Amino acid sequence: MAKRVFLHVGTPKTGTTYLQSVLWANKAVLRDQGLLLPLRSVSEHFHLSNIGRRASIALATMPANAHSAWKRMLDEVGDWNGDALISHELFSLTSAERAVWCLESLGTVADEVHTIVTGRDLARQVPAEWQQTIKHGRTHRLREFYDLLRADDPTVAFGRAQDLVSIMHNWSQGLPPGRAHIVTVPPLGAPRDLLWNRFATLVGIDPGSVDQSVNRPNESLGRVEIETLRRTNVYAPRDIKSPRRQFLTRQVLAEGILANRAGAQRFAPPADEHPWVVERGTAMVDTLRSQPYDVVGDLDELLPPSEPVTGLNPDDAAEGEVAQVAVETIATLLFRSQVSQNRILANQVAELTAQLEARSVRIHGLERQLRKAWGAYERERDLALWKHAGRRVRDGARRIRRRGNGPG
């Protein structure tokens, strides 16, 4: 039975991709320090989140063996005598009822259950979440996204995924004081590894013992690039199923091409939306201060800055700017596969050439050995022993023939 199990429930866009990539790349190091990452990959923790929150659509698209992930996780954690950690940001979408089910289930395999929520100020979260929705195929403009948030539109998951008050309430049910933790994401300009240091220290890991160079960033898009992607979503076929659509939109187009464009400009939300963000973010922090949660960092870091970030709104991207990015993207899509194929073929040709050269060397070696053997044979034929043996054979043959020609 585990001593402690930590359930990191998000929220999205709070460095979760960074944290998870460092964790999984250093799984063996963490294990040596007594922290188990159950199962085999972050994908399986995604399956755990689907099971935990009973997400019917996501469950329907999971492979058959993924449906046993929760039981396999419990078995593995139950057999471990140290601490364990589960991490996926979609746990943040779990209802209060299902959160209780998760906590009670984990309590059967560990002496203590702890929950971790990573949080970031709303001024950064709102545009980051909007960009994420566009990567997943949505078509609303940035200003329209703010309108949906103010109206608490149920088609937008932002409220469930980013309302730290509700999330902390759901994931602290039944836990003793001090076992529900908030880790605040440091402000811009803070040391890059500060978030990792806070998280690692909380779960009992030496922050400096791991290799952080392997982290996989969740790339942001530039102002014109995100508007190009949004417009592409408008014309995307609606009959493509969600997993396939998200793969094409996010992995192939957004992160595979648009995120890699040189000279992309960072975008900023409309300045006139900032007062609402400050009001809502401040109210959220005030409520959190009144609760007995363990804070790693500083709740002040969750307060939106008093002044908005300056910059250009992607909604205002000019037609010519979008056209330029679109044409370059089309060219990349058309010819990237050809270039990649040519590179693969060139590597195959080089490999075959090396194999032929190696075989040619072996053949020349065999030829030399055969020539040596044949020369030795020829030399042996000139020895007296060979001549004497040959004479005896010939004499014997003559005697046989003579006997054969005698009287019958």
Side-chain angles (χ1 to χ4, degrees):
M1 191 168 188
K3 295 176 182 177
R4 299 180 296 177
V5 60
F6 293 93
L7 179 59
H8 176 211
V9 303
T11 62
K13 307 306 295 180
T14 57
T16 52
T17 301
Y18 159 66
L19 291 173
Q20 289 158 5
S21 60
V22 173
L23 289 167
W24 284 102
N26 293 276
K27 181 176 181 177
V29 175
L30 303 182
R31 187 183 182 95
D32 289 342
Q33 296 185 49
L35 182 67
L36 170 72
L37 287 179
L39 306 182
R40 294 172 297 179
S41 68
V42 68
S43 297
E44 291 201 285
H45 284 208
F46 166 64
H47 298 152
L48 293 177
S49 75
N50 293 338
I51 296 169
R53 61 194 174 96
R54 194 176 282 169
S56 56
I57 295 177
L59 288 170
T61 61
M62 290 194 332
N65 64 341
H67 291 270
S68 64
W70 192 273
K71 182 182 182 305
R72 287 186 283 114
M73 176 272 294
L74 291 179
D75 290 342
E76 192 172 348
V77 173
D79 291 338
W80 180 250
N81 60 5
D83 296 335
L85 170 65
I86 300 162
S87 174
H88 203 278
E89 60 275 16
L90 292 187
F91 275 109
S92 62
L93 297 172
T94 308
S95 67
E97 178 185 5
R98 291 297 296 176
V100 170
W101 179 87
C102 293
L103 295 174
E104 290 179 347
S105 178
L106 292 173
T108 64
V109 293
D111 294 330
E112 296 181 11
V113 177
H114 294 246
T115 55
I116 303 173
V117 175
T118 42
R120 189 169 70 155
D121 70 89
L122 285 184
R124 288 186 288 171
Q125 285 299 84
V126 174
E129 277 282 11
W130 168 73
Q131 179 174 212
Q132 202 70 0
T133 66
I134 301 304
K135 285 184 178 182
H136 284 82
R138 299 296 294 271
T139 60
H140 38 243
R141 296 177 182 271
L142 180 54
R143 189 177 290 278
E144 293 171 342
F145 188 66
Y146 280 92
D147 293 338
L148 294 172
L149 297 187
R150 277 195 299 271
D152 292 323
D153 191 295
T155 65
V156 178
F158 184 89
R160 289 183 294 136
Q162 297 296 337
D163 184 352
L164 295 179
V165 173
S166 295
I167 293 170
M168 288 302 301
H169 168 75
N170 291 348
W171 288 107
S172 62
Q173 297 178 92
L175 296 183
R179 295 189 189 175
H181 312 272
I182 303 175
V183 178
T184 60
V185 176
L188 293 174
R192 189 173 182 275
D193 60 353
L194 182 53
L195 176 62
W196 166 252
N197 290 344
R198 291 174 175 178
F199 190 92
T201 302
L202 173 59
V203 298
I205 292 299
D206 175 11
S209 65
V210 304
D211 178 9
Q212 294 189 57
S213 65
V214 295
N215 77 81
R216 178 174 56 89
N218 192 346
E219 298 289 353
S220 295
L221 303 186
R223 176 181 65 90
V224 183
E225 288 74 14
I226 189 65
E227 174 61 11
T228 303
L229 178 63
R230 188 195 68 79
R231 296 192 189 190
T232 301
N233 292 340
V234 173
Y235 295 99
R238 296 290 101 183
D239 57 346
I240 298 179
K241 293 184 178 180
S242 180
R244 177 65 173 169
R245 175 193 298 276
Q246 291 186 16
F247 169 77
L248 293 172
T249 304
R250 179 179 176 180
Q251 275 85 356
V252 174
L253 185 54
E255 297 175 359
I257 297 176
L258 294 174
N260 298 316
R261 293 192 76 253
Q265 299 175 323
R266 294 180 66 89
F267 67 86
D272 57 356
E273 299 287 358
H274 192 66
W276 172 81
V277 173
V278 172
E279 178 183 357
R280 182 163 178 174
T282 302
M284 185 171 63
V285 172
D286 288 343
T287 302
L288 292 174
R289 290 190 200 278
S290 66
Q291 302 301 315
Y293 304 133
D294 174 55
V295 178
V296 182
D298 193 332
L299 286 180
D300 284 346
E301 293 175 334
L302 300 182
L303 291 171
S306 57
E307 297 297 324
V309 176
T310 59
L312 297 175
N313 183 352
D315 294 351
D316 300 329
E319 296 293 325
E321 293 178 305
V322 175
Q324 179 66 34
V325 173
V327 169
E328 292 179 11
T329 301
I330 291 172
T332 302
L333 284 171
L334 284 175
F335 300 110
R336 181 178 64 174
S337 60
Q338 183 63 44
V339 171
S340 176
Q341 186 64 33
N342 289 345
R343 188 179 300 112
I344 292 172
L345 290 175
N347 291 338
Q348 291 176 341
V349 169
E351 182 179 352
L352 289 173
T353 300
Q355 292 177 1
L356 288 173
E357 290 176 351
R359 290 176 182 177
S360 177
V361 170
R362 289 196 295 271
I363 290 172
H364 288 317
L366 289 173
E367 287 178 346
R368 286 194 296 270
Q369 294 176 16
L370 287 172
R371 283 196 296 269
K372 289 180 180 178
W374 184 257
Y377 167 70
E378 290 291 338
R379 288 191 297 274
E380 290 291 335
R381 289 182 61 191
D382 292 335
L383 295 177
L385 177 63
W386 282 96
K387 292 179 179 179
H388 179 67
R391 247 189 328 266
R392 292 188 63 180
V393 170
R394 287 193 295 273
D395 291 344
R398 290 192 194 100
R399 285 195 296 272
I400 293 173
R401 283 197 299 271
R402 282 198 298 270
R403 293 188 190 116
N405 294 329

